[in-house]
């Protein structure tokens, strides 16, 4: 056996020394050859597209959208990348330098190698690392310029570049190793590259994600999809090439190598040779290599690998050791591309620079926003209409309520959206961070903070409401809203079940097809227990939220209310309350079964629209929608909805009030009634035309005098009357089915309480001032309305009761009513038609020619601040303070007269006109010859409900005992009537003659004349009716028999009848008499 020659360390050093010197001699010789080659004829440039077969459509770099068939978005994205790479930041620093600076350490990049070794006998030559410095010294960048359909031109300039190679030479026999470092320094480098890149579009688009998830497969896949790839130009020029430096040799050879290299590079200038070398030999070598690769390479197929059912995000995005630590397999089945991109994102995009700023802002946000708006951190959608709403025309029958007030329609436009300071993301920023659960990822986003400008959104809203002539409701204004927030913090844990096989088979052509991305998730089934994509948990908060507004155009006083109101809401903490609950509301919404149901249906629909059979399970089929449950609101969210809605309603009311306060015009309403010569109409000044004599006039006058009259104590009769039929002037109205539904929410009005009805200080009603006009005027000291509401969520048992209270004082009203009724039609109404209460109003209205308000004057001395109770403690206190500030700011009392005399009056008239139109009086339904009177009064539906209602009222309010005395409540009515008639309660007085009879028919018995007279009748103690009183009670034995029982008079107050009578006879002497008798 012959042993190998063992090399001593000195010999190894000698060989390295000789190799280094010979390498540089050989390099200089080649460069010198190229310098002189520059004077020789240049070889013809070979066109790779000429005289070659093109089997398909080639990618056109000048028109990516058309060649890829995806529209202009591809060209816009490509231009965005180019603009960023070729641009500079605010300080003039090249964006590429900034990018390199964030990727590298001070512009230095090092690549380490472990298996790059060449064996030569007993020696092993290894390249341990290559280090590049000065990568952040770009002075000019112009790259990816599509100068031809298949040509990309690039030119760059750098101040300097340092290349350092770390080598190791090992003697295999002795295991002695010598490490050597070779360093090259270049200054003023300029590089020009024209890259010919001809790719087949179909082959590019057919590449599957699984084939490029392994980084080493990307180049083979791209080359397999290419027709040809080559360098048309590869020109490198260097201003100065420093003498290479060698480190690691023995002292003797080290000194000699340095002197030798200095001498060599002093003798020969290689700077002139470098451009010729790169654009000839080096370019051709690279082109030959690329051509051989295209011929030999194929895109690897990874679809046959053993895959888990769903993508494990730990294995997709993390290094092997990290994946295993979190419970992943670490198998690398999903390749290294995801890991590399995730590491770049974490170490570059999500990193913090020396100034403490998140790199993501500059590299991503600034680049994207500046290309869109020209301003880093700003998105400008000012030329895009975000919303354009046009309501139905007010002239339509459905909107007749607004006639003579508004015309045309309501137009609302939202545009001018401007988002500013988006480049204020702060650390930590985490996206798609794998967890110890295979299919869940965590996300954390922070925007804004101390010392940073607030993220803000601005948008302009234009509201146009055209008035029907002058109208206090007309608007044509533009207002700009601004929403800003200090710090936004979001934590979200998302669960996603992505099918592994479908993910690896995903073709590049469908990268922009949302349906195909959604088809990566399994087709949803009716079992919704486990969602394929869902937010598992969400924490969202926003601090220092503020909302402001400013008027851009228009002069409507009502619009001016909005900026002031928003400022008040800000100062009183209302915005803070809402913003504090906003995160929980969004979380509830996104985590709700309703959103999950909609998402499931989107997945279901996507499976029918993705044209890739390997992805979609039911392409072309009709999807059966999964039932979507309604959104369930928590009690806090329910309270927030009430709180926000009530604030909005009050601001809207104040805006309407303010618009009326400054309105100085008159509505162009038509005259209600101007036919003074019309015949056949009821004359309210002379009701005798109806044929009932003066009874109706006297009855109306009696009622009017009674309502406006006063009792012995100076109190208005109307107040006493109201107290008789109410509880101290309080009326409570209960509603069973008065509700308004909005989605799953149900707003129900349970009751309305009106108090202060017995505080009239003046009342004059139904005073005929013209044949068809009734004047009314009244004054109230105070009036309060309380509404009992309930807002409930129909999907659960959550409900919230609410009390709204409105208080007014010193109410004075003058209202003139035009009531033109057709007398003939009024008299044609049949009694039978009125026996049903539902027919009374239609029957009366059937005789109406005109009904409306001619004048409505309303003044309120004090309009109290609305009171709200029933909210949660936080919102209750905030609501009280905010409403107090709002109503103290605006003059509601000053606007009430104009509001009443214009809008309110016209609305009432419009309602009355709609109500009166086409009303007919139904005919009686009973055709029997005789009426069963008992059934008529006791409530038989056959005869109607009017008389039973009257009967029940009489029985319950008048015939029962009024107190422990045993007297009937009927006495109260008797006292009222008798006092009005005689001035004394319980007494009826008829002064004067009531009966006066003279008969001359008794001559045969000697009486020539008989006279009888009765007068000055007085009945006392009529108010002593005892309970119970029975009136018109039906008999069980005979339905046509009505029983009545009344007992009047007591032992102390017996019924007394007093009258003066005259009995006089004349004729025979013995039969003549004259008698005045007081009975």
């Amino acid at each position: 056996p012959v042993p190998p020659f063992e090399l001593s360390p000195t010999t190894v050093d000698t060989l390295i020394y000789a190799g280094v010197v010979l390498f540089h001699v050989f390099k200089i010789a080649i460069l010198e050859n190229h310098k002189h080659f520059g004077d020789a004829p240049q070889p013809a440039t070979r066109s790779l597209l000429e005289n070659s077969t093109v089997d398909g459509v080639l990618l056109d770099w000048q028109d990516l959208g058309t060649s890829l068939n995806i529209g202009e978005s591809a060209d816009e994205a490509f231009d965005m990348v180019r603009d960023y790479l070729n641009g500079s930041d605010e300080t003039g620093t090249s964006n590429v330098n900034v990018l390199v600076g964030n990727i590298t350490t001070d512009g230095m990049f090092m690549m380490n190698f472990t298996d790059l070794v060449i064996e030569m006998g007993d020696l092993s030559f290894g390249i341990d690392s290559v280090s590049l410095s000065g990568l952040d010294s770009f002075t000019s960048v112009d790259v990816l310029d599509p100068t031809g359909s298949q040509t990309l031109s690039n030119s760059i300039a750098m101040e300097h570049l340092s290349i350092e190679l770390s080598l190791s030479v090992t003697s295999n026999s002795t295991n002695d190793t010598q490490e050597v470092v070779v360093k090259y320094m270049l200054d003023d480098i300029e590089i020009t590259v024209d890259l010919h890149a001809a790719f087949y579009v179909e082959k590019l688009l057919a590449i599957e994600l699984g084939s490029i998830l392994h980084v080493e497969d990307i180049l083979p896949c791209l080359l397999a999809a290419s027709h040809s790839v080559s360098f048309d130009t590869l020109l490198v020029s260097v201003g100065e090439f420093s003498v290479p430096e060698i480190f690691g040799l023995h002292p003797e050879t080290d000194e000699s190598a340095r002197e030798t290299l200095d001498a060599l590079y002093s003798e020969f200038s290689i700077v002139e040779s470098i451009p010729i070398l790169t654009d000839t030999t080096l370019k051709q070598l690279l082109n030959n290599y690329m051509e051989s690769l295209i011929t030999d390479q194929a895109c690897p197929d990874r679809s046959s690998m053993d895959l888990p059912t769903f993508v494990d995000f730990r294995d997709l995005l993390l290094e092997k050791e990290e994946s295993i630590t979190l419970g992943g397999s670490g198998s690398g089945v999903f390749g290294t591309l995801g890991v590399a991109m995730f590491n770049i994102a974490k170490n570059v995009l999500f990193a913090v620079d020396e100034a403490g700023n998140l790199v993501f802002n500059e590299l991503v946000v600034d680049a994207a926003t500046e290309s869109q708006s020209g301003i880093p951190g700003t998105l400008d959608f000012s030329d895009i209409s975000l919303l354009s709403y046009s309501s139905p025309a007010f002239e339509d029958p459905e909107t007749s309520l607004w006639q003579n007030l508004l015309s045309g329609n309501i137009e609302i436009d939202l545009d001018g959206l401007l988002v500013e300071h988006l480049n204020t993301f702060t650390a930590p920023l985490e996206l798609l961070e794998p967890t110890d659960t295979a299919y869940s990822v965590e996300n954390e986003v922070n925007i804004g903070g101390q010392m940073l400008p607030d993220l803000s959104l601005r948008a302009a809203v234009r509201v146009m409401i055209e008035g029907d002539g002058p109208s206090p409701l007309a608007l044509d204004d533009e207002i700009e809203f601004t929403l800003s927030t200090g710090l936004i913090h979001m934590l979200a844990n998302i669960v996603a079940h992505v099918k592994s096989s479908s993910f690896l088979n995903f073709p590049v052509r469908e990268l922009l097809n949302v349906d195909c991305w959604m088809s990566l998730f399994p087709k949803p089934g009716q079992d919704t227990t486990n969602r394929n994509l869902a937010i598992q948990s969400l924490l969202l908060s926003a601090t220092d939220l503020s909302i402001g507004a400013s008027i851009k155009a228009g002069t409507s006083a009502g619009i001016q209310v909005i900026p002031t109101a928003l400022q008040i809401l800000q100062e009183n903490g209302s915005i803070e309350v809402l913003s504090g609950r906003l995160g929980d509301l969004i979380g509830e919404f996104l985590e709700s079964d309703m959103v999950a149901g909609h998402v499931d249906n989107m997945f279901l629909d996507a499976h029918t629209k993705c044209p890739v059979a390997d992805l979609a399970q039911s392409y072309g089929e009709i999807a059966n929608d999964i039932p979507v449950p309604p959104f369930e609101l928590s009690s806090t969210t329910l309270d927030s909805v009430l709180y926000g809605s009530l604030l909005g309603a009050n601001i809207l009311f104040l805006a309407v009030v303010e618009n009326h306060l400054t309105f100085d015009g008159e509505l162009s309403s038509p005259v209600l009634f101007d036919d003074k010569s019309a015949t056949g109409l009821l004359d309210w000044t002379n009701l005798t035309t109806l044929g009932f004599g003066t009874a109706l006039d006297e009855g109306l006058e009696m009622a009017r005098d009674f309502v406006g009259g006063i009792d012995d104590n100076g109190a208005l009769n109307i107040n006493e009357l109201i107290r008789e039929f109410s509880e101290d002037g309080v009326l409570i109205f209960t509603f069973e089915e008065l509700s308004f539904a909005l989605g799953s929410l149900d707003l129900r009005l349970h009751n309305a309480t009106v108090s202060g009805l017995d505080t009239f200080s003046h009342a004059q009603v139904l005073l005929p001032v013209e044949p068809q006009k009734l004047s009314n005027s009244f004054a109230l000291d105070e009036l309060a309305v309380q509404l009992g509401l309930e807002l409930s969520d129909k999907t659960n048992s959550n409900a919230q009761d609410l009390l709204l209270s409105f208080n007014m004082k010193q109410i004075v009203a003058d209202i003139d009513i035009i009531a033109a009724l057709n007398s003939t039609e009024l008299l044609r109404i049949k009694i039978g038609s009125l026996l049903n209460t539902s027919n009374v109003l239609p029957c009366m209205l059937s005789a109406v020619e005109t009904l409306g308000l001619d004048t409505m004057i309303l003044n309120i001395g004090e309009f109290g601040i609305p009171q709200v109770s029933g909210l949660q403690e936080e919102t209750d206190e905030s609501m009280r303070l905010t409403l107090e500030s709002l109503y103290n700011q605006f003059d509601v009392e000053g606007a009430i007269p104009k509001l009443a005399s214009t809008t309110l009056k016209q609305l009432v008239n419009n309602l009355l006109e709609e109500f009166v139109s086409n009303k007919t009086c139904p005919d009686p339904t009973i055709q029997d010859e005789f009426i069963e009177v008992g059934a008529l009064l006791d409530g038989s539906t056959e005869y109607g409900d009017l008389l039973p209602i009257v009967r029940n009222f009489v029985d319950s309010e008048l015939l029962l005992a009024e107190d422990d005395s045993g007297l009937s409540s009927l006495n109260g009515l008797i006292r009222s009537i008798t006092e009005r008639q005689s001035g004394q309660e319980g007494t009826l007085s008829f002064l004067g003659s009531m009966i006066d009879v003279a008969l001359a028919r008794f001559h045969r018995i000697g009486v020539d004349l008989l006279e009888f007279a009765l007068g000055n009748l007085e009945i006392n103690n009529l108010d002593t009716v005892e309970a119970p009183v029975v009136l018109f009670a039906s008999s069980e034995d005979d339905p046509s028999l009505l029983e009545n029982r009344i007992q009047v008079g007591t032992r102390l107050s017996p019924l007394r009848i007093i009258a003066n009578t005259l009995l006089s006879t004349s004729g025979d002497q013995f039969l003549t008499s004259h008698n005045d008798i007081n009975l």
Side-chain angles (χ1 to χ4, degrees), residues 716 718-719 722-723 729 754-764 777-785 808-814 858-862:
L716 279 178
I718 189 173
N719 291 331
I722 288 174
R723 293 188 189 106
V754 183
S755 58
L757 291 172
D758 58 346
T759 64
F760 280 90
S761 58
H762 165 72
Q764 184 181 59
S777 65
F778 57 86
L780 281 155
D781 292 337
E782 59 181 330
L783 184 67
V785 179
M808 294 159 281
K809 294 183 178 180
Q810 291 85 51
I811 305 105
V812 179
D814 292 286
L858 178 63
N859 287 278
I860 297 178
E862 180 182 337

Side-chain angles (χ1 to χ4, degrees), residues 481-484 544-549 562-563 565-567 569-570 575 578:
F481 290 92
T482 301
L483 184 149
S484 62
D544 300 328
L545 183 70
S546 66
I547 303 176
I562 295 177
L566 289 177
Q567 183 178 354
L569 264 61
Q570 194 77 47
I575 302 297
L578 289 173

Side-chain angles (χ1 to χ4, degrees), residues 99-244:
L99 179 62
V100 172
N102 289 315
I103 296 176
T104 64
T105 303
D106 296 327
M108 186 191 74
F109 177 71
M110 177 180 288
M111 293 178 290
N112 296 309
F113 307 99
T114 57
D115 54 359
L116 198 57
V117 179
I118 300 175
E119 301 287 346
M120 293 183 63
D122 185 47
L123 295 179
S124 295
F125 295 89
I127 301 178
D128 296 331
S129 65
V130 176
S131 175
L132 301 176
S133 299
L135 292 174
D136 58 351
S137 66
F138 286 89
T139 57
S140 173
V141 178
D142 185 6
V143 296
L144 301 179
D145 183 14
T147 54
S149 297
Q150 280 76 47
T151 302
L152 294 173
S153 295
N154 309 268
S155 65
I156 60 173
M158 302 177 68
E159 289 184 5
H160 57 269
L161 181 66
S162 172
I163 306 172
E164 192 174 286
L165 282 79
S166 295
L167 308 173
S168 61
V169 181
T170 302
S171 172
N172 296 326
S173 58
T174 63
N175 288 328
D176 291 332
T177 298
Q178 185 170 349
E179 295 180 348
V180 179
V181 176
V182 182
K183 186 175 181 180
Y184 300 90
M185 297 285 294
L186 297 85
D187 294 316
D188 301 327
I189 308 107
E190 293 183 2
I191 303 174
T192 302
V193 178
D194 289 335
L195 178 66
H196 167 83
F199 294 97
Y200 287 113
V201 172
E202 280 303 313
K203 290 184 178 180
L204 272 180
L205 296 179
I207 296 175
E208 296 178 347
L209 286 183
S211 299
I212 57 175
L213 282 178
H214 295 262
V215 175
E216 63 271 20
D217 294 343
I218 295 177
L219 182 59
C221 286
L222 290 176
L223 293 176
S226 67
H227 169 275
S228 52
V229 178
S230 64
F231 294 98
D232 289 343
T233 302
L234 182 57
L235 196 60
V236 180
S237 64
V238 178
E240 181 180 350
F241 189 96
S242 301
V243 177

